[in-house]
Amino acid sequence: MIAAIRRRLARPVRARARAAQARGDWETALAEYQRVVRLVGPRPLLMLQIGHMLIELGRHEEAAASLQAAVRDPEVGLRALIGLAGLNERAEDWTAAVEAWEAVLARMAEQEGTLQPASWPMSPAVVLLHVAKCREVTGDALGAARDFAGALVLEPRVRFSQEAVLLRARMLLQTSRADAVRFLERSHKAFADDAGIALLLLRTTLEMGQKDAASGLARRLSASVRKNPGVETLLEESGLLNSATIS
């Protein structure tokens, strides 16, 4: 009886939390989800939602604790593990991130016979891309190449994602800057508004001493890419900021 009353009282609070979340009001959403917890207890889905709000607010240690409380749940545990892996990436704790993403893959393998992969928040191929990225940063070139190839075998279309393009470019940089630049130039034409690709191309071109080519690239950058903080800083440091404002 009391539990039923608490659930009924929690419904409008949960609705307010979801509405705040939908409009990006993370503080209000967090406060409302925490009120729901006080009414019905720390259910795994609520802990997952609170964890996501804390991530948006930059409170990563608290977010990790909240997500950890949900990892064993059969329905939301996978999403909690993905959240924890993402937190490790944000913290640039690459070794921990590799372990966390591999835990995601292990959970996917466990669930494959009981849950439809379509219900997963990301595919195994995308997870493998994350593992490959983290391995590449740690210097495990062979492991990165293996996992990158595995991702493409599982899902060939992921080669067109930003994550895959940037990873492929960084791997090429280990063997040939010229090949990497050619690949990045093609990718930049295909994804002209992608600041990550433009930034890596611009930085690599400058590192090769090709300032004229970098100046030409700066002039071709889209307005949205020029406004990216990383791109803007590099343009300013390299003396190309004025070139980038020429229409």
Side-chain angles (χ1 to χ4, degrees):
M1 179 70 174
I2 294 176
I5 292 172
R6 287 180 175 274
R7 287 195 297 272
R8 189 164 64 248
L9 290 171
R11 286 186 196 125
V13 185
R14 191 190 294 268
R16 291 198 298 271
R18 288 172 174 164
Q21 184 176 352
R23 64 176 182 267
D25 184 354
W26 315 122
E27 288 278 8
T28 299
L30 174 63
E32 296 291 5
Y33 279 129
Q34 288 172 331
R35 286 187 63 199
V36 177
V37 169
R38 289 195 290 272
L39 284 167
V40 300
R43 297 181 178 181
L45 178 58
L46 286 171
M47 300 311 292
L48 176 73
Q49 291 164 325
I50 287 172
H52 286 161
M53 296 307 95
L54 289 165
I55 289 172
E56 295 292 349
L57 291 167
R59 293 159 59 177
H60 293 165
E61 288 188 10
E62 295 172 79
S66 186
L67 292 171
Q68 194 65 50
V71 295
R72 295 186 182 279
D73 183 78
E75 293 185 7
V76 303
L78 179 62
R79 291 159 63 189
L81 285 171
I82 289 171
L84 287 168
L87 279 174
N88 283 316
E89 273 199 33
R90 289 190 187 203
E92 297 185 354
D93 188 347
W94 304 110
T95 300
V98 168
E99 295 175 358
W101 285 118
E102 288 191 330
V104 172
L105 288 171
R107 183 65 62 88
M108 286 177 164
E110 291 173 6
Q111 292 185 348
E112 198 166 15
T114 58
L115 290 180
Q116 291 296 322
S119 68
W120 293 341
M122 65 173 59
S123 69
V126 174
V127 177
L128 269 176
L129 278 183
H130 280 281
V131 179
K133 169 190 172 181
C134 297
R135 289 193 193 282
E136 191 271 333
V137 176
T138 62
D140 181 5
L142 288 176
R146 179 197 63 222
D147 291 333
F148 182 73
L152 298 187
V153 168
L154 283 175
E155 194 176 332
R157 65 182 178 179
V158 300
R159 72 176 67 244
F160 302 113
S161 68
Q162 185 217 38
E163 203 68 62
V165 168
L166 288 172
L167 178 57
R168 176 63 177 153
R170 289 194 297 268
M171 292 166 67
L172 282 171
L173 281 169
Q174 303 302 314
T175 56
S176 170
R177 282 186 175 182
D179 287 346
V181 165
R182 283 192 289 270
F183 174 74
L184 284 166
E185 286 173 341
R186 293 195 302 271
S187 300
H188 179 59
K189 288 177 182 177
F191 305 99
D193 290 326
D194 191 295
I197 293 170
L199 180 60
L200 185 56
L201 174 57
L202 186 62
R203 181 181 294 122
T204 305
T205 304
L206 286 167
E207 288 173 352
M208 293 174 70
Q210 299 177 359
K211 189 143 187 189
D212 288 344
S215 180
L217 172 62
R219 286 194 296 271
R220 297 193 302 272
L221 293 177
S222 68
S224 62
V225 169
R226 288 198 301 270
K227 291 177 182 176
N228 176 272
V231 172
E232 190 174 39
T233 297
L234 182 58
L235 289 170
E236 187 172 8
E237 290 176 348
S238 60
L240 295 176
L241 194 57
N242 289 335
S243 296
T245 61
I246 298 173
S247 58

